[in-house]
Amino acid sequence: MAVRQQYGKPPDGLDQHVVDTEAADVRGADHPPRDFPPYVGSRLRHPRRPPFPVRDPEAVELRGPVFGATDVGPLDHDLTAHHRGEPLGERVTVSGRIVDSGGRPVAGQLTEIWQANAAGRYAHQLDRHRAPLDPHFTGFGRCLTDADGRYSFTTVKPGAYPWQNHENAWRPAHIHFSLFGTAFAQRLITQMYFPGDPLLEYDPIFLSVPDEAARSRLVAAYDPRLSVPDWSLGYRWDIVLGGTSATTFEEGER
Amino acid sequence: MNQPTPSQTIGPFYGHALPFAGGEAMAPPGHPDTLTLHGHVYDGDGEPVPDALLEFWQPGPDGSRTGEPGSLGRNGVDFTGFGRVPTDASGHWTLRTLAPGGVPYLCVAVFARGLLHHLFTRVYLSEAPDPLLDSLEPELRRTLMAVADPAVRAHRFDIHLQGPKETVFLAFR
């Protein structure tokens, strides 16, 4: 689809071929298409025009917000420690490393997670799934990555839950992740899944990622080195923030 | 080259997690130059979207692009450059900030149930010469312009995810 037809003249410094190639790139296979009819909720919520390509070394989006000690509390990374009692469920340690497309660690940045409880119920007033709430589990955590880009959370494995997309639609167990890089253009919200989950091959949200190898990057690995003896099961999930930052722009990476 | 981790939707149930007190209060309380921005988010049927989350990033009034920590626990003095606002039950949002220095726009990210990959756009506060604005046809340029709303002493910026008034969304290359 020619961007020229959609937008009129191309931006300064780009010829039509570059613009068309980049517009096709934007619709590449690493991320889900925004128009994905099997996910019913997408039908009225995706733009029909492709995103307009911006290549501007002065764009404010090549920098991003920073976070620090006052943004995160000492227990925020332990979702099992937010109430007086222990939550029900299988205790897990989820850790990994966040890097940019060039492999540089994303240091000192905010990582947020949220999830359903072990029974598959969110502590959200609009979640009407008939599974019990857990008075000892809210299901929200935060941390800052360390100098090497590492994050770590202690939580319980979330349960699967039904949703209204189609008959017998069940979401596979997942933890939502919200991630910041060094640039606003690297912002990412995504979901981590658990290995071996039989629901994955039926889930339109997971399957919205067209490329199988890209989909597999959403699935954590069981890692006995991360398990804490007599305490928790360890899962490793490493994250790559694509998107352009001031650094990747200067180095011409994609 | 490391291949990126794919995006997935924010879903409907982030409300107990991501919004934080003061997320919309980017301007220090009582700052005389406080600018109020507000609007609705609409879907392709023109219906309001009550479960969107908007994020804003901008330079400080002095043009600084380094940001400051402390958005999640604002100290009443620093301008962090970052704001986060969920839409309410009528699809409406309000942000209080200071005008950015050096550029005429704020950067916006839009997240919502139904959006498998978030959207970037910009709110322009004035029609200053600008590489992006200059490359858009007038009817598309209009989708990025905040309009003065003197009745409530604010600027209004509506986001249309789809349809004839569809907002221009951006990809950074």
Side-chain angles (χ1 to χ4, degrees):
Chain A
M1 188 184 307
V3 168
R4 181 187 291 277
Q5 290 163 7
Q6 302 272 332
Y7 289 102
K9 65 182 173 179
D12 291 348
L14 297 182
D15 67 23
Q16 190 59 50
H17 174 71
V18 172
V19 170
D20 290 353
T21 306
E22 297 202 350
D25 256 350
V26 166
R27 298 190 298 275
D30 283 323
H31 292 290
R34 294 183 177 91
D35 179 10
F36 189 68
Y39 175 31
V40 175
S42 74
R43 290 178 187 172
L44 290 169
R45 291 184 168 195
H46 69 273
R48 299 210 188 277
R49 281 193 308 268
F52 189 81
V54 175
R55 171 176 285 182
D56 175 3
E58 300 302 318
V60 174
E61 290 85 352
L62 300 185
R63 309 277 177 184
V66 293
F67 299 91
T70 61
D71 291 302
V72 174
L75 289 179
D76 285 1
H77 69 283
D78 185 349
L79 286 73
T80 68
H82 294 175
H83 300 273
R84 282 190 189 177
E86 293 281 346
L88 291 170
E90 199 176 298
R91 192 182 294 105
V92 296
T93 298
V94 178
S95 299
R97 193 160 172 258
I98 307 174
V99 299
D100 71 9
S101 55
R104 285 167 289 254
V106 174
Q109 263 302 13
L110 181 67
T111 301
E112 298 161 286
I113 66 169
W114 71 103
Q115 62 171 92
N117 68 22
R121 177 86 182 262
Y122 284 92
H124 186 290
Q125 57 181 5
L126 295 180
D127 186 356
R128 294 294 177 213
H129 177 35
R130 285 174 297 166
L133 285 167
D134 185 339
H136 301 310
F137 192 72
T138 303
F140 171 50
R142 289 180 186 134
C143 74
L144 297 179
T145 53
D146 69 14
D148 198 31
R150 293 187 189 280
Y151 71 87
S152 187
F153 290 101
T154 302
T155 182
V156 296
K157 186 176 178 184
Y161 58 85
W163 61 309
Q164 303 308 309
N165 195 69
H166 56 279
E167 188 179 33
N168 267 329
W170 287 75
R171 291 301 326 280
H174 60 278
I175 299 177
H176 295 265
F177 272 72
S178 163
L179 304 148
F180 291 84
T182 57
F184 198 59
Q186 293 176 310
R187 187 80 176 89
L188 181 70
I189 284 183
T190 187
Q191 302 180 24
M192 185 207 92
Y193 300 93
F194 288 84
D197 191 328
L199 297 174
L200 287 172
E201 63 181 289
Y202 300 99
D203 179 46
I205 293 179
F206 178 68
L207 294 174
S208 69
V209 179
D211 179 59
E212 190 177 352
R215 274 203 300 281
S216 72
R217 297 198 290 275
L218 293 174
V219 182
Y222 174 66
D223 187 343
R225 290 168 299 180
L226 291 174
S227 295
V228 181
D230 301 321
W231 180 250
S232 68
L233 289 166
Y235 287 89
R236 187 185 71 252
W237 192 50
D238 295 328
I239 297 162
V240 177
L241 296 181
T244 310
S245 68
T247 306
T248 61
F249 190 96
E250 283 159 13
E251 297 184 355
E253 292 173 14
R254 290 294 185 83
Chain B
M1 276 300 294
N2 293 288
Q3 295 302 309
T5 303
S7 171
Q8 296 271 269
T9 180
I10 193 173
F13 299 135
Y14 61 81
H16 64 298
L18 295 183
F20 56 89
E24 78 298 339
M26 292 174 70
H31 196 292
D33 300 330
T34 298
L35 175 80
T36 301
L37 267 175
H38 77 121
H40 284 82
V41 180
Y42 295 105
D43 72 11
D45 276 346
E47 295 294 324
V49 175
D51 50 7
L53 184 76
L54 303 183
E55 288 186 348
F56 298 87
W57 161 244
Q58 63 163 96
D62 60 355
S64 156
R65 298 183 179 194
T66 56
E68 290 281 346
S71 296
L72 279 64
R74 299 192 193 276
N75 67 9
V77 182
D78 290 340
F79 186 82
T80 69
F82 178 70
R84 179 184 279 172
V85 194
T87 54
D88 66 18
S90 67
H92 185 259
W93 57 274
T94 301
L95 183 78
R96 296 181 206 287
T97 189
L98 302 175
V103 294
Y105 62 88
L106 283 68
C107 314
V108 187
V110 183
F111 303 89
R113 174 186 67 81
L115 258 183
L116 286 161
H117 191 183
H118 63 270
L119 293 163
F120 289 115
T121 188
R122 287 178 178 174
V123 189
Y124 280 84
L125 300 172
S126 65
E127 284 214 54
D130 176 85
L132 172 61
L133 281 191
D134 295 347
S135 60
L136 292 173
E137 298 293 313
E139 73 272 20
L140 294 171
R141 190 182 311 154
R142 266 197 292 280
T143 72
L144 302 184
M145 299 300 309
V147 294
D149 192 347
V152 288
R153 299 176 63 191
H155 283 75
R156 182 180 178 95
F157 183 74
D158 292 330
I159 295 171
H160 296 267
L161 297 177
Q162 190 188 82
K165 297 180 183 170
E166 188 172 300
T167 301
V168 169
F169 297 103
L170 307 173
F172 298 93
R173 311 300 294 153

